[in-house]
Amino acid sequence: MNNWKSHLALLVCNVVWAMDFPFYNIVLPRYVHPMAMISASLIVTALFSLVPLLWRKAERVERADIRKLVGAALLIGVLRKLFLMYGLSKTSPIDGSIIDTIVPLLVLLLSVLLGMDRFTRLKLAGLVLGMAGAVAVVLTGGSSSHAHSQLAGNLLVFLTACTTSFYMVWFKRLISRYSIFTVLRWLYCVAAVMALPLGIGPILHTNFRAIAEHALLPTLFVLTVPTYLPNLMLNYALKSVPATVSSIYTYLQPVLAILLSVWMGLDKLHLDTVLFALVIFLGVGMVLKSYTLPPRHAEPPAANPH
């Protein structure tokens, strides 16, 4: 089957998400308060999620699932955004993009703890290796040689990865019951309502003139592009491309984020960061490789939702 469209969708998703890290770093917190960006981006995404209703009939959601969807909205829509926005406002885009690649390792750990998967020697070795690299990247944020990084920011990005992993494991069965249009509409409309009371003040106090003069394009990009449309493309791609293949595409994110950050003068690449990143990549690769070997117990995570 010719699935080049799916591979193109995966490529576009990961390029867009790679651009998140340097562009957020430009905008936050110099021009936009993190809480203002959280609330505004959720409102924009919620509006996007309503557009399919123009040609699709709203899918009925079981009453028992409504509370779960509200919980998912709080987790992935609000808490993940909080950790990510405040984290990237306090650390470098390079560190942030590298730390975010540990999601498959955390998904494996949670799956084992919940009895949904089990360790093999290869999985355990990959988990230990990858997590060691991630901890090293986080801790370098406190080093004086990494002027653009902060330990607090790295820890918040790490919490972002933890939140994503918990969502992917805990709510997997729930979101598989409904179309992606329905899931995204519930997640982001509910999340927007939750975040608005906290974000309305910072939004009103935003210096829009400064944004227009110095950061208009990056602000418009992170406000409108990274969340809704890439997630739609990701789910379209997963209909014909195995999750293992999709996981390989996620390696593009830190590589592109590093290239963009260095090219834009937002950060400098350090040798220790490169080595720690390679350790993480090796660990994640070992875990993904384990799913291609018999016996096969579970499907590895596809990609990180943004």
Side-chain angles (χ1 to χ4, degrees):
M1 180 178 179
N2 186 0
N3 55 4
W4 67 269
K5 292 182 180 179
S6 297
H7 285 276
L8 180 61
L10 286 172
L11 179 62
V12 172
C13 286
N14 285 280
V15 169
V16 169
W17 287 332
M19 295 171 68
D20 282 4
F21 295 97
F23 282 6
Y24 276 132
N25 194 258
I26 292 174
V27 174
L28 303 172
R30 183 177 180 182
Y31 298 106
V32 182
H33 188 279
M35 197 64 232
M37 179 57 72
I38 292 167
S39 186
S41 63
L42 286 173
I43 291 171
V44 170
T45 305
L47 293 174
F48 280 147
S49 73
L50 296 174
V51 173
L53 292 177
L54 296 175
W55 64 82
R56 290 175 60 97
K57 184 178 180 181
E59 186 179 9
R60 183 177 180 273
V61 175
E62 297 294 332
R63 181 174 296 182
D65 290 335
I66 292 178
R67 184 165 54 184
K68 297 176 183 177
L69 284 168
V70 171
L74 175 62
L75 182 68
I76 201 69
V78 180
L79 288 180
R80 186 185 185 280
K81 287 280 187 181
L82 277 169
F83 292 145
L84 181 63
M85 299 294 181
Y86 279 95
L88 291 179
S89 70
K90 295 178 180 295
T91 195
S92 75
I94 289 179
D95 281 9
S97 63
I98 291 172
I99 295 169
D100 201 45
T101 61
I102 67 168
V103 168
L105 303 178
L106 294 173
V107 168
L108 168 63
L109 181 60
L110 286 171
S111 299
V112 171
L113 292 176
L114 294 173
M116 301 166 63
D117 201 349
R118 69 179 187 180
F119 280 131
T120 63
R121 290 182 179 179
L122 190 58
K123 290 178 185 177
L124 185 59
L127 178 66
V128 172
L129 193 63
M131 292 303 295
V135 170
V137 173
V138 170
L139 293 180
T140 56
S143 171
S144 59
S145 62
H146 290 247
H148 297 279
S149 300
Q150 295 183 33
L151 178 59
N154 285 354
L155 287 172
L156 286 170
V157 176
F158 181 82
L159 287 176
T160 302
C162 293
T163 305
T164 302
S165 306
F166 186 81
Y167 167 79
M168 294 175 73
V169 173
W170 194 257
F171 292 100
K172 181 179 180 180
R173 292 181 180 177
L174 173 66
I175 62 180
S176 64
R177 296 176 194 169
Y178 304 101
S179 74
I180 186 59
F181 295 101
T182 300
V183 172
L184 292 182
R185 184 166 61 249
W186 272 91
L187 287 186
Y188 291 112
C189 287
V190 172
V193 172
M194 291 178 176
L196 184 58
L198 298 175
I200 187 65
I203 290 175
L204 294 176
H205 288 89
T206 299
N207 188 341
F208 294 100
R209 182 176 179 179
I211 293 175
E213 292 178 352
H214 304 289
L216 181 60
L217 290 179
T219 302
L220 290 176
F221 177 86
V222 297
L223 189 64
T224 61
V225 176
T227 304
Y228 188 74
L229 294 178
N231 276 318
L232 279 181
M233 287 190 289
L234 171 65
N235 283 271
Y236 164 77
L238 290 178
K239 292 181 179 180
S240 56
V241 175
T244 48
V245 175
S246 177
S247 298
I248 294 172
Y249 274 89
T250 62
Y251 282 98
L252 288 173
Q253 291 185 40
V255 174
L256 293 174
I258 289 170
L259 292 175
L260 282 171
S261 300
V262 174
W263 178 66
M264 297 167 68
L266 299 174
D267 201 358
K268 294 181 180 180
L269 187 59
H270 299 83
L271 178 60
D272 57 353
T273 303
V274 174
L275 294 176
F276 298 149
L278 291 175
V279 171
I280 296 174
F281 294 168
L282 179 59
V284 174
M286 291 169 66
V287 170
L288 295 178
K289 177 65 176 177
S290 69
Y291 287 94
T292 67
L293 301 174
R296 190 172 183 173
H297 298 287
E299 184 73 7
N304 309 351
H306 281 233

